[in-house]
Amino acid sequence: MATTPLPPAAGNPSFDPAAVGLPPPPGTDMTGICFRDPLWLSSFPLDRTYVFDYFVLSPFYDWTCNNEQLRSRSIHPLDLSHLSKMTGIEYMLSEVLEPHLFVIRKQKRDGPEKVTPMLTYYVLDGSIYQAPQLCNVFSARIGRAIYHISKAFTLAASKLEKIGYADSENDSASTEPKIEKEAIDIRELKRIDHILASLHRKLPPAPPPPPFPEGYTPPASEAEKGPEDQQSSEAQLASADPIIDQGPSKRMKFQ
């Protein structure tokens, strides 16, 4: 297994943290940077055996992790049989699609079966990136959606303003063209009457109304009522109206 040069020991007085490229303080966002070493890629194959040695060269690597202790003892840094017996920060190779994609997870181990994921990195065609956290992804997607929705409402409002401006111009124009449009064409009207009359002649006569049920007496119409009935009804209406009884001269006058 090819290994990269190891940094000086931490107990050495000449140990310089800046020289070995210690990771930035916790909380530093490194999703905007990318690492790629064409010289290493041209010298070694990129597979599950050598990908961690390539990841060590990147600024994402934490030199205080458990994997580095295994490398110093000439043990493969991803050997789970040794990592499970240790506690602290470690890196694991979670997914592999050789030779294009490798996913490396940074996690904190508190026991053989107890680990807490921290960050995720991926090597895509030789370039190493830090994957954004899920909350940042949701925030970016929601912000982009709100931006497009706001832009759509602004565009719709501007078009509605143009439509309202055009309607106001049409309302302020002279009404002479409207009178010409609303003029009735006599010839067209006669033509429609002729068509309706021809259709009426072609239709069969209306069927007689159904008979009334037994015991039902239909109300008499005004024409069937006799003159005596009409006079009695008029007398009842007249007696019911106090204004008619009093007459115009007997109405109350309001000052």
Side-chain angles (χ1 to χ4, degrees):
M1 180 186 68
T3 58
T4 54
L6 299 177
N12 194 332
S14 61
F15 176 71
D16 185 7
V20 301
L22 289 179
T28 304
D29 186 11
M30 301 182 69
T31 56
I33 64 175
C34 169
F35 175 81
R36 185 178 180 87
D37 190 348
L39 181 60
W40 192 97
L41 293 173
S42 61
S43 303
F44 302 97
L46 193 61
D47 54 16
R48 66 176 62 240
T49 304
Y50 294 95
V51 67
F52 192 81
D53 293 330
Y54 181 56
F55 180 75
V56 170
L57 303 177
S58 69
F60 308 109
Y61 184 64
D62 187 353
W63 290 91
T64 62
C65 63
N66 297 336
N67 307 84
E68 185 61 28
Q69 298 181 24
L70 297 181
R71 292 180 73 244
S72 64
R73 289 153 46 186
S74 300
I75 302 175
H76 195 281
L78 299 178
D79 191 346
L80 186 59
S81 61
H82 290 80
L83 289 174
S84 61
K85 300 176 183 178
M86 306 171 70
T87 58
I89 304 299
E90 66 180 23
Y91 293 91
M92 290 296 297
L93 191 63
S94 58
E95 295 184 20
V96 176
L97 293 176
E98 294 180 341
H100 302 289
L101 178 64
F102 302 87
V103 180
I104 300 175
R105 185 175 65 247
K106 183 179 181 180
Q107 57 191 14
K108 181 180 179 182
R109 181 176 291 277
D110 297 323
E113 301 295 336
K114 186 178 181 181
V115 293
T116 303
M118 299 175 62
L119 294 172
T120 303
Y121 306 90
Y122 58 95
V123 185
L124 181 61
D125 292 332
S127 299
I128 305 178
Y129 306 88
Q130 177 182 334
Q133 296 184 2
L134 190 59
C135 60
N136 296 334
V137 174
F138 285 161
S139 177
R141 296 292 177 87
I142 293 174
R144 184 178 301 177
I146 292 175
Y147 167 76
H148 287 295
I149 292 174
S150 177
K151 187 177 180 181
F153 275 111
T154 303
L155 181 60
S158 63
K159 291 187 177 181
L160 289 176
E161 289 178 359
K162 293 180 180 179
I163 294 174
Y165 179 74
D167 292 341
S168 62
E169 286 185 348
N170 295 335
D171 293 339
S172 61
S174 61
T175 57
E176 293 180 359
K178 292 184 179 180
I179 294 175
E180 294 178 358
K181 292 181 180 179
E182 295 177 358
I184 299 175
D185 191 353
I186 302 300
R187 291 179 298 178
E188 188 69 19
L189 185 60
K190 291 183 177 180
R191 180 171 174 273
I192 293 174
D193 291 342
H194 177 70
I195 293 174
L196 294 176
S198 62
L199 291 175
H200 182 70
R201 287 193 298 268
K202 292 179 181 180
L203 293 175
F212 293 104
E214 296 182 0
Y216 176 78
T217 303
S221 61
E222 296 294 335
E224 296 177 354
K225 289 183 179 180
E228 297 179 357
D229 296 338
Q230 293 182 0
Q231 292 178 1
S232 62
S233 61
E234 291 177 358
Q236 292 177 359
L237 292 175
S239 61
D241 190 355
I243 297 178
I244 296 177
D245 291 341
Q246 295 175 3
S249 59
K250 298 181 180 180
R251 293 177 184 173
M252 295 178 63
K253 294 183 180 181
F254 297 94
Q255 299 297 333

